[in-house]
Amino acid sequence: MKQTFWATSLVASVAMAGISPAIAQETYKIGVSAGLTGYAATVDRAWRDGVELAAAAVNAKGGVMGRKIQVIVEDNRSEPQEAVTVYRKMLSSDKVDVFVSGCVSAGNFAAAGLLLRAKVPMMLCSILPQQAEHLPWAFTTLPPAGFEVEKRLEYLKEKTQIRKIAVLHDPTPYANLQKGVAERNAAKFGIEVVSVDQYKQDDADLSVQISKARAAGAGAILKIGLGGTTLTAAKNIKQLGADMLLLTSLEDLAVFGPVSEVLGDKFFFVASPSQVYEALPEGGLKTGIKAFLDPWREKFKDRDPNWASRGWDGVMLTVAAIEKAKSLEGEKVRDAYETLSGFQGTTGVYNFRPDLHQGITENPFVLATIAAGKVKVVQ
Amino acid sequence: MSSAVAARTEASAAAPGSARPILAATGLSARYGHVEALHGVDIRIGEGELVAVLGPNGAGKSTLLRAIMGLSANSGEVAFRGELLPRSDAVAVATRGIVLVPEGRGLFPPMSVADNLELGAYRLRDKAEFNRRRERVLTLFPRLKERLGQAAGSMSGGEQQMLALGRALMAGPKLLLLDEPSLGLAPRVTGEILETLGLLNREGLAIVLVEQKAPLALELANRVYLLSLGRIVAELNPRDITSHDDLAQHYFA
Amino acid sequence: MTISPSITSPERRPIALRLAGLLPWLFAVVVVGYAMVVGGYAATVVSFALIYAVFVTGLNLFMGFAAQVSFGQNAFAAIGGYGSAVLTATYGWSPLPAMVIGIAAAVMAAAIVGFPTLRLKGHYLAMGTLAIGLITYEITVEWQSLTQGYLGISGIPPFGIGAYEVTSDRGQLVMLSLVVAACAFAAARIRRSRFGRALSAVAGSEEAATALGIDVSRYKLMAFLLSAGFAALAGSLFVHVVGYVSPEVFGLHMVIVTFTMLYVGGIGTVAGPLVGALIVSLLPETFRAFKDYQDLAYGAALILLLIYAPRGLASLFAPRGRS
Ligand SMILES: Nc1ncnc2c1ncn2[C@@H]1O[C@H](COP(=O)(O)OP(=O)(O)OP(=O)(O)O)[C@@H](O)[C@H]1O
Ligand SMILES: [Mg+2]
């Protein structure tokens, strides 16, 4: 019996200790719900590092409106229900002022209702929630889904004779959106989509889809989606002896070395400005990236800067909104986000509007290839 | 012991196997996967008879009982009171009143004695009849009465065997199939249990008793089948077996 | 309290032990009460725990009471959850009828799958159920016209009585507590019933149960259908409480978490699922401050629990254990 009571009281007190509210401090709190573990880990860890780097840079200059920024990161394990829990935790225990959250879109969607009720805005890595009533409180640093696709179509139209292409995509929402754009907009570039196929992120062979694309007469494959499948696709194309170009999505540069070894000059990828910094012309964009890239390289050497740079933008946009609103209040900051325009970030220029919460309006991407081990911009 | 002996003499007054059969199996075979463990066995059990099935380890004694119940994959015909039993439908067989106490007793160890007994009468819906049977079982085995709330698994081997038998009786059997009730029990307890079996048999319950301990079975049985390598090798009257050697001869014939 | 803990013959047990049997329930009441008072984050964690408790109560019927194994209960939660989500968010139904249809669909799916597989034994059944879980997950991802794939379905309305919608933390906690209490009460009744004893017999020995005239595969199927119903109820509760659903919610992750809850709480007991769901939901939150060591601390806590309460926390309070 003694043991029993001991166990009960221990369990109860441990359980209670974990959920007692934290003490509020005089800082401006940015909450980050990120998939530090699970499928989004690579992207979201980079996002978080970008956010923390930006906060440190802002604090070094004295913070925002006299307050130091405090970044609170919680791991949502790339799961929506975990995301709801951590959003809730940051809202009610940490009393977070704003969210600059990662790329787990399902998690951000699931929590959107909470933010609406708490009147706390979020600046996201992922696509925006689908629910109309959630939209006013959500903003994103993500360029529109069409940009990555259009850059590739543009290249094919202007620099090649290829007029028939195949689309290969994974089932994630962002990939699905891009697929839709490809289907709708290819004709504008005089290009016909002759086959569309889906694969899964853990597929170990894509030769069926690639054979199908070749049989349909496709001269190039637009691959939409992240991860090891890009290398798989490259190998399959080579094994099948298919004479096709492979044009892949934005991705960690580290992935592309091996792919380029397989396909050589038949391989192209979409790159964000920060990934091709050295090749950029002097100007506002290059300066904007430099502000981020210097401390980034100092801390993380040649780690890919792409997602981190948007995390950086997320914080800087927030700081700009606060300064514009002259207020730290959620509702005022939200209103100010909507008026930020001409904001030079690391991924391009952000032009938010009340009816446009996806701020990047001009295509910032380039198409690149790897020649002699060096990244080369081709479009 | 003495009453068990008495039981034998009394019951064996009837001519062996002459009674109207309560159960008749013809050409009963059983397989485990592709291996046949029982090869076309014919047996008959008379109404009110106590028939022993003897045989060495692995002879197929347990398989025979399981085949009668329809538990193992089997072929052949089994008639119960003149009616063919469905094969491989043990629930239907149990419903007709054939109750098996399997090798190792098949109790539900975490459940209490009372719950085990209650499960014996699972198909019985009549409360009064239930109480009557329970009263009877607790009279036959007073030791169970003292342990109604105890988990079956925490009882001694002998008590567990009593419970297994008691649970079978709760089902209101017309034919009781017992697989080695003496397994792992001290002679004294074995005697007690066999004595109860004799009593039940004298009241008219037909019993098939599988045993390793031949002398004990011979004392009770009206008739004996010898099983070896999945076949009936002999059908004997216990009175004709006068010594151990006699039996051994049959075993190895 | 009308709910009786995992005791089958309470009449002969001393009062102290009977009171000890109430401790798991007292623990649950204290935790839920605390969440109700504090609200916020605690309320969210405890709400999810209560939803899991419904799921695990069903899992316990099948795995604890009938001693079968299913790795695919998440499939039924998905059917219940998506049934509710699609019917309310896409077709404008109100939550209650949507939930009923979702549960009915899940039970039907369980019947279709269970009828052939429950005749199988041991690892075949386990493999079969694992397949159901994986297939359902794939369907929720691929059938985009209905489920919107990974994008998920938003705008699922909360439960309500008439015009009153349960949106506040406290309202939801009260509603979920009532549902969990009803589920635990049902589990306790089932366990004491003829059906429950038959399940225990099946759990003890299928052959012995058959020989007693218990139709083993029928009872296994009934337990399976019931557990599917509980899973679907949990799935539906989840989507109405959160207002959003996507495939990951009902992924393999759910199988792992609910198995942990079942074993930590005490498989085969009545209070176990609730206690397990609360503990397993609260523990990681407790260790959240450990940051990168959160999983390590959680893992260590689980191991300690399994060492000191190998048959689950609830069984600490029921000296005879499963009875
Ligand atoms: N489940 C099983 N799978 C495969 N073979 C089996 C199985 N059960 C029994 N056998 C085989 O069938 C034969 C008959 O076994 P059975 O158990 O009927 O013998 P028995 O006469 O009851 O022996 P014992 O006196 O040792 O209990 C044996 O050769 C045994 O190996
Ligand atoms: Mg045997």
Side-chain angles (χ1 to χ4, degrees), chain A residues 118-196:
Chain A
K119 298 199 184 309
V120 173
M122 57 178 169
M123 179 61 77
L124 300 176
C125 169
S126 74
I127 58 175
L128 292 168
Q130 305 299 297
Q131 186 72 5
E133 66 184 63
H134 296 152
L135 272 176
W137 292 88
F139 300 83
T140 183
T141 59
L142 187 71
F147 286 4
E148 280 192 51
V149 170
E150 282 167 3
K151 203 68 194 177
R152 284 178 269 185
L153 294 173
E154 198 180 294
Y155 173 79
L156 290 172
K157 181 189 172 205
E158 289 172 13
K159 304 275 170 72
T160 72
Q161 302 300 314
I162 294 166
R163 292 298 174 261
K164 285 184 176 178
I165 60 161
V167 171
L168 202 55
H169 69 98
D170 71 25
T172 59
Y174 192 52
N176 265 307
L177 286 176
Q178 292 192 52
K179 174 204 77 170
V181 173
E183 285 173 328
R184 265 178 279 119
N185 293 3
K188 277 193 227 158
F189 295 85
I191 286 170
E192 186 191 347
V193 177
V194 291
S195 93
V196 176

Side-chain angles (χ1 to χ4, degrees), chain C residues 110-119 221 224:
Chain C
I112 291 167
V113 169
F115 198 71
T117 46
L118 285 171
R119 284 160 200 282
L221 183 65
F224 190 57

Side-chain angles (χ1 to χ4, degrees), chain A residues 201-216:
Chain A
Q201 291 93 319
D202 53 1
D203 279 352
D205 185 83
L206 299 172
S207 46
V208 174
Q209 290 94 326
I210 289 165
S211 305
K212 195 181 150 211
R214 181 169 64 164

